[in-house]
Amino acid sequence: MDVKRSYMTIGRANREENSFSYRHGKLVVFPLLIIFCSLLISIALGFPEVSRLNDVPQGFDARLRATSERYEPGTNATLVQNAKIWTGSDHGKQVIHGDLLLHQGIIKAFGDIPKHILDGIDKDQLTVLDAKGAWVTPGLVDLHSHIGVGSSPQLRGAADTNSLHGTIQPWLRSLDGLNTHDESYRLSIAGGVTTAQILPGSANNIGGQAFVIKLRSTLERSAISKVIEPPHTLNGTTFAQSTPPRWRHMKHACGENPSRVYSATRMDSIWAFRQAYNEARKIRDAQNAYCTRAKDGDWEKLGEWPEDLKWEALVDVLRGRVKLAVHCYEPVDFDGIVRLTNEFEFPVASFHHAGSAYLVPDLLKKVYGGAPAVALFASNFRKKREAYRGSEFGPRILADNNIRVVMKSDHPVINSRYLLNEAALAFYYGLPANLALSSVTTVPAQAAGFDHRIGHIKEDIVVWDSHPLTLGATPVQSFIDGIPQIERPVVSLKPDSFQELPQTPNFDKEAAETVEYEGLPPLATRHEEEEVLFTNVRNFWVIEDEEIVDSFSVGQSTRRSLGSVLVQKGKVTCVQNAGQPSCINQENTDSMKRIDLEGGSLAPGLTTFGSAIGTDEIRLEPSTNDGPVFDPLQGPIPKIIGEDGFLIRAVDGLQFEGRNMLLAYRAGVTTAVTPPTGYGFAKGISAAFHTGATNALEKGAIIQEIAAFHVGINKAGAASVSTQIAALRNLLLSSAVIAHVASVQGEIPIVVHVENADIMATLLRLKDEIEAQTGGKLRLSFAGAAEAWRLALAIGKADVGVILTPSRSFPATWDQRRILPGPPLTYDTPLTVLFKNNVTVAIGSENEYDARNIRFDLAWRLWILSGCPGI
Ligand SMILES: *[C@@H]1O[C@H](CO)[C@@H](O)[C@H](O)[C@H]1NC(C)=O
Ligand SMILES: *[C@@H]1O[C@H](CO)[C@@H](O)[C@H](O)[C@H]1NC(C)=O
Ligand SMILES: *[C@@H]1O[C@H](CO)[C@@H](O)[C@H](O)[C@H]1NC(C)=O
């Protein structure tokens, strides 16, 4: 990145203002109508409309803007001093050291702030913040979010993402379902997200209109006051037609999801689109003909103005006035959309999810009006067939092909608080740093039609505690419309190295292979090397007596030579720390494979817990999975299974060589512990197994046939919580089978999948009760455990383990709502609280795809844990 110090005025326009022209008719009859017609004609005669509409609305001149219409009177001006400002300019390569002045809802200046500007501000209303060299970026823009419409915690009374009343519904508006009390607003702002496009769901081909909102709460507390430049169509179709148009937004979806409304095939989907667009086209053409008659003064034949409230939004799509977001995964789906846009001549602003987009960059460029931006997840793939070929290398491959890349959350699918983490992961897997930062700022702002005010240093900013592409980068403060959003931000000190762009591996070969094999490069285990010598090893950790110990570590600053480790036939046979005799002798130099770790580390393999890895391959494809188990609380158990004493063992349903499993293995996750897939009370017995094994018969494939006995207890179960507890009590006290496998003798632990602190309290009481009755000791752990931190002392005293899953909590359900969010909202995290109370803690993953990322999850929190016992 270029680092320069210079003075920049704000919003120096880098684009032509307003190519959109209004011709005011001279006729005095029906003046509004004439103006409207001349507007339509100017568009209609000049297809493609997209080239005539400009992202900057008429009258919006950033250079002249003294105040934002969103400014809330009484807000202090803020002077952020001594910042490293990533501006978003020059393709995301420009960095400016200096100050930054927020005033009246806009950023007045940055770099060296001219004295006359500062002198004009009342010192009693100026907050000064010394950033001490911290990174500052524009507020993050999430192009794909369901914040507010799919509420958190999820409640039946606020499930407004998908209407199931039809597949073509351009008349619906996400704004009408925007819950203003969603817990996520505060959390996502604490992750630096300041703006989000709120899309309807993908259960329909046309799910409805989307709205771009700022996440902060407003004085008015209304949904509409969150919307940026609300389109005039929102509160009546009789708005003054002479008003300059404002961008509208709409969601389309193709592929698997729209089949939810009625069992539609892909063929039905594209026909549904064509039928809808044909309706809109007829209206648009009739309007144009009407306007031609009006312009020609042909008043007698003028007739009624052709319009239809249901189709007006889609007519606007044809007029290029709508930024379309199209959910599409596969080449066949992109192909259908390419044909649709060319048949009806309308542009697409962004493709979403787009798992296989990286395989067809040239096809994307055939979309009418040019290639859309492509909005992706970093790592959330393979959970359904159409996502199976998705790749972590997708973002960089698309960028290599000059396609604009957006990283998005699909909140709450990915908690948008960690949107920046998606960009950091894309960067890790090869997306250049400038484009990775642009993918959550300038590019989504442009795709939404709002880069005249967001995505750049213009309105909203975030001050970061570290370089934004380091793992765990956390805001020190987020400003929206000039208003600081985090009341008492907690800032943790990080090592100086976190202020620099991290180094990443070179994945050129892997990316090329991914394209060569169309998303499914071979991953199977390679043959075992007889002898491997690891050189330039900085740290070497081993397990001794169930503890991880540091065999040797060479400090970062030392100039001493690094160590080497020799592995022969899978066993470490020689460790050479600096100054010790070499591991290499005459005999073993020839056949030996050498791996230069370039200062890296060797550590024991990691263990993943919590997903269906090993039992499920493609989560939403039943034929690829072991399948769910019977739940005795949901219905009678067939006699042949053993009625209520039955126990299902995951080991009997394991499958090896799955893609999630092999990717996890390649990421250092060598062991998985997986229970059978049970969605209710009953789960069964988990197995521990080796993720690199080829089948269950292979030596070492099954590490522990019976790892733990699992049950799930939550408020959304088939029976009441009290019934679930009664069932567990009954099982533990009277079932011969359970007494045999589990628990009271202390042999096999019981893992209760539980989120809620009150249920955990009941379980701790149950543990006492059982132990008092039987005289034994119950080995108990809680998995999930979002609220465990609230009972940390009691959990520690009871010697109950906790597998925190996910490691960064999110209030997805009511049971999970009392999370401890961590910096910048709280100093502590659940992990720090549990550690301080001597609880044995592990971290888990919810999703199969995520098993490979646990080292990142761990590193996210390590710097904050370093004061804790046991670390
Ligand atoms: C506004 O700035 C003044 C002067 O720095 C300060 O005393 C005051 O606390 C600030 N108000 C707010 C709401 O931050
Ligand atoms: C319609 O919305 C606009 C933009 O929010 C607002 O300025 C206008 O007053 C509203 N009009 C009515 C009739 O509510
Ligand atoms: C945790 O263990 C340490 C060391 O045994 C002890 O000093 C401390 O008091 C314990 N903390 C709690 C909350 O039990």
Side-chain angles (χ1 to χ4, degrees):
M1 291 191 181
D2 301 335
V3 178
K4 26 182 160 137
R5 191 175 172 94
S6 70
Y7 164 63
M8 306 245 325
T9 48
I10 304 313
R12 184 173 290 148
N14 53 2
R15 57 172 68 244
E16 283 288 295
E17 295 279 297
N18 311 314
S19 59
F20 206 117
S21 66
Y22 289 80
R23 292 176 221 148
H24 294 265
K26 288 201 179 101
L27 289 165
V28 283
V29 203
F30 308 127
L32 278 187
L33 176 76
I34 298 308
I35 291 164
F36 185 38
C37 281
S38 59
L39 158 63
L40 291 186
I41 290 162
S42 70
I43 307 169
L45 302 181
F47 273 119
E49 291 168 0
V50 66
S51 66
R52 312 210 57 189
L53 281 174
N54 189 303
D55 277 2
V56 183
Q58 192 178 47
F60 188 102
D61 188 334
R63 289 165 302 184
L64 300 178
R65 191 166 67 137
T67 176
S68 165
E69 82 285 6
R70 304 184 55 82
Y71 168 63
E72 293 205 346
T75 308
N76 267 14
T78 301
L79 178 65
V80 180
Q81 292 176 320
N82 187 18
K84 225 179 285 162
I85 307 163
W86 182 89
T87 66
S89 298
D90 189 16
H91 300 284
K93 290 182 181 160
Q94 186 189 56
V95 174
I96 289 176
H97 286 208
D99 303 341
L100 193 145
L101 179 67
L102 296 90
H103 187 34
Q104 287 171 323
I106 61 174
I107 293 158
K108 289 268 166 165
F110 62 95
D112 293 326
I113 316 281
K115 192 167 173 303
H116 73 269
I117 298 187
L118 274 175
D119 286 349
I121 294 172
D122 186 346
K123 294 294 171 286
D124 292 343
Q125 286 155 18
L126 177 70
T127 306
V128 180
L129 174 75
D130 184 358
K132 303 193 176 104
W135 285 93
V136 168
T137 66
L140 307 185
V141 179
D142 191 352
L143 196 64
H144 188 141
S145 176
H146 303 292
I147 277 193
V149 291
S151 74
S152 304
Q154 203 172 23
L155 292 167
R156 225 186 324 174
D160 290 301
T161 314
N162 286 298
S163 154
L164 299 181
H165 293 296
T167 198
I168 298 292
Q169 308 192 102
W171 44 86
L172 300 186
R173 298 160 163 181
S174 65
L175 184 63
D176 294 329
L178 192 76
N179 174 2
T180 53
H181 298 293
D182 196 300
E183 282 288 305
S184 308
Y185 294 123
R186 172 180 89 104
L187 296 171
S188 296
I189 290 169
V193 181
T194 54
T195 303
Q197 172 165 239
I198 310 303
L199 294 167
S202 52
N204 331 79
N205 288 127
I206 301 186
Q209 296 162 42
F211 292 85
V212 181
I213 65 166
K214 293 220 183 174
L215 299 190
R216 76 172 172 94
S217 45
T218 62
L219 279 178
E220 192 179 275
R221 299 203 177 101
S222 61
I224 192 163
S225 56
K226 288 181 177 294
V227 178
I228 302 177
E229 296 176 14
H232 304 298
T233 41
L234 258 181
N235 52 12
T237 45
T238 54
F239 63 91
Q241 298 287 359
S242 57
T243 328
R246 286 175 169 186
W247 284 116
R248 305 178 73 177
H249 300 82
M250 195 185 284
K251 171 83 175 279
H252 286 10
C254 45
E256 290 180 27
N257 286 17
S259 65
R260 266 187 270 164
V261 174
Y262 64 108
S263 58
T265 62
R266 287 182 159 82
M267 296 188 290
D268 295 298
S269 275
I270 296 293
W271 172 241
F273 278 127
R274 294 182 65 218
Q275 231 176 350
Y277 273 103
N278 195 42
E279 282 305 313
R281 181 166 60 181
K282 280 192 264 183
I283 296 168
R284 192 263 327 259
D285 290 349
Q287 289 175 346
N288 289 355
Y290 179 100
C291 288
T292 309
R293 291 197 295 276
K295 196 168 162 247
D296 295 347
D298 188 1
W299 301 109
E300 266 158 37
K301 292 200 204 120
L302 201 54
E304 287 281 299
W305 169 244
E307 63 181 342
D308 186 332
L309 193 55
K310 274 191 146 178
W311 297 109
E312 61 82 28
L314 213 54
V315 172
D316 262 3
V317 175
L318 293 180
R319 295 196 184 284
R321 301 168 74 169
V322 180
K323 295 285 185 187
L324 272 192
V326 184
H327 158 130
C328 248
Y329 274 91
E330 292 206 285
V332 61
D333 301 318
F334 296 123
D335 202 39
I337 297 295
V338 163
R339 275 182 276 113
L340 185 75
T341 64
N342 284 293
E343 180 178 358
F344 293 95
E345 302 185 313
F346 64 89
V348 173
S350 48
F351 276 130
H352 290 245
H353 299 304
S356 297
Y358 70 95
L359 293 173
V360 289
D362 293 335
L363 178 60
L364 306 183
K365 290 172 187 168
K366 289 186 182 169
V367 168
Y368 181 83
V374 175
L376 300 158
F377 291 129
S379 194
N380 184 348
F381 300 116
R382 295 176 287 280
K383 71 181 172 209
K384 51 181 177 168
R385 197 206 66 93
E386 64 186 4
Y388 198 57
R389 290 169 192 267
S391 169
E392 279 78 349
F393 305 115
R396 65 85 48 102
I397 297 168
L398 285 164
D400 288 347
N401 284 281
N402 296 319
I403 303 277
R404 288 165 300 143
V405 173
V406 172
M407 302 310 295
K408 56 98 205 253
S409 74
D410 193 7
H411 182 95
V413 175
I414 300 278
N415 174 1
S416 68
R417 181 175 175 192
Y418 303 118
L419 176 65
L420 188 61
N421 190 49
E422 296 294 288
L425 282 180
F427 164 67
Y428 174 81
Y429 288 110
L431 185 66
N434 59 317
L435 300 183
L437 282 176
S438 303
S439 76
V440 287
T441 51
T442 55
V443 185
Q446 183 200 30
F450 288 131
D451 70 344
H452 54 281
R453 57 189 302 166
I454 55 170
H456 298 263
I457 303 290
K458 292 183 177 177
E459 282 185 7
D460 309 324
I461 58 159
V462 181
V463 185
W464 298 94
D465 70 352
S466 50
H467 187 291
L469 291 176
T470 53
L471 207 53
T474 299
V476 169
Q477 185 56 275
S478 302
F479 291 89
I480 305 182
D481 300 322
I483 306 169
Q485 295 295 310
I486 306 166
E487 216 170 306
R488 276 179 296 277
V490 176
V491 185
S492 319
L493 285 179
K494 288 183 173 177
D496 287 347
S497 59
F498 277 57
Q499 300 305 326
E500 308 292 326
L501 184 69
Q503 279 183 14
T504 54
N506 182 332
F507 287 117
D508 289 352
K509 182 169 157 283
E510 287 81 357
E513 272 181 13
T514 300
V515 174
E516 183 188 343
Y517 290 94
E518 304 206 343
L520 305 178
L523 298 173
T525 331
R526 287 150 299 185
H527 69 282
E528 274 178 31
E529 302 286 348
E530 283 283 297
E531 281 184 315
V532 186
L533 181 72
F534 295 96
T535 58
N536 288 317
V537 183
R538 189 178 293 281
N539 314 91
F540 178 46
W541 288 287
V542 291
I543 299 182
E544 276 172 18
D545 300 330
E546 299 190 7
E547 295 259 319
I548 296 198
V549 297
D550 194 345
S551 176
F552 70 77
S553 277
V554 183
Q556 290 290 341
S557 55
T558 178
R559 287 175 176 273
R560 283 193 303 158
S561 60
L562 303 175
S564 32
V565 175
L566 179 65
V567 179
Q568 291 173 304
K569 296 197 169 131
K571 293 246 180 298
V572 174
T573 54
C574 173
V575 177
Q576 182 232 332
N577 197 351
Q580 290 172 352
S582 166
C583 284
I584 310 170
N585 57 38
Q586 291 306 319
E587 288 145 46
N588 60 11
T589 45
D590 297 340
S591 60
M592 181 188 295
K593 184 179 169 80
R594 287 159 183 266
I595 297 176
D596 182 354
L597 286 191
E598 298 175 25
S601 307
L602 286 174
L606 303 173
T607 299
T608 181
F609 171 92
S611 73
I613 201 161
T615 57
D616 288 12
E617 177 59 5
I618 306 176
R619 193 180 267 218
L620 298 178
E621 284 291 341
S623 68
T624 71
N625 303 332
D626 181 41
V629 298
F630 287 98
D631 182 347
L633 295 182
Q634 290 200 18
I637 304 296
K639 257 206 169 88
I640 194 168
I641 306 177
E643 297 179 77
D644 62 354
F646 82 107
L647 276 177
I648 305 297
R649 297 180 181 191
V651 71
D652 297 331
L654 285 185
Q655 50 180 336
F656 288 84
E657 298 200 306
R659 296 198 75 79
N660 288 311
M661 205 158 148
L662 290 172
L663 286 168
Y665 179 62
R666 287 179 166 225
V669 182
T670 54
T671 303
V673 178
T674 302
T677 308
Y679 299 107
F681 174 77
K683 296 190 192 295
I685 293 179
S686 55
F689 54 92
H690 181 42
T691 53
T694 54
N695 65 71
L697 300 179
E698 196 178 284
K699 187 162 169 273
I702 309 292
I703 297 166
Q704 221 174 307
E705 226 173 311
I706 295 179
F709 169 62
H710 297 248
V711 293
I713 299 187
N714 63 66
K715 288 209 192 72
S720 71
V721 168
S722 41
T723 307
Q724 296 170 60
I725 296 286
L728 181 60
R729 178 185 288 118
N730 197 31
L731 274 176
L732 292 177
L733 286 176
S734 61
S735 160
V737 185
I738 297 292
H740 168 65
V741 229
S743 70
V744 186
Q745 306 312 322
E747 286 160 14
I748 307 296
I750 296 183
V751 178
V752 183
H753 295 246
V754 55
E755 303 286 354
N756 179 275
D758 295 302
I759 303 177
M760 289 182 221
T762 300
L763 287 165
L764 294 180
R765 295 180 67 235
L766 181 68
K767 179 175 186 285
D768 286 346
E769 181 189 328
I770 305 264
E771 288 176 350
Q773 282 202 31
T774 62
K777 182 161 163 38
L778 197 65
R779 280 179 67 190
L780 182 66
S781 290
F782 296 148
E787 295 189 356
W789 65 277
R790 295 180 68 91
L791 295 177
L793 184 60
I795 291 173
K797 283 204 171 126
D799 201 15
V800 168
V802 167
I803 310 168
L804 190 70
T805 314
S807 58
R808 299 187 295 279
S809 309
F810 176 69
T813 65
W814 190 258
D815 271 350
Q816 298 168 316
R817 78 191 185 286
R818 293 172 291 186
I819 67 164
L820 187 59
L825 299 175
T826 59
Y827 174 76
D828 273 309
T829 70
L831 288 178
T832 60
V833 174
L834 291 166
F835 273 118
K836 280 179 202 160
N837 287 281
N838 297 335
V839 178
T840 305
V841 189
I843 60 172
S845 301
E846 288 180 295
N847 294 292
E848 295 79 64
Y849 79 82
D850 227 7
R852 71 183 306 191
N853 291 328
I854 54 177
R855 71 190 196 279
F856 298 137
D857 292 339
L858 195 60
W860 248 90
R861 288 305 193 208
L862 268 190
W863 51 270
I864 216 179
L865 282 176
S866 48
C868 291
I871 286 283

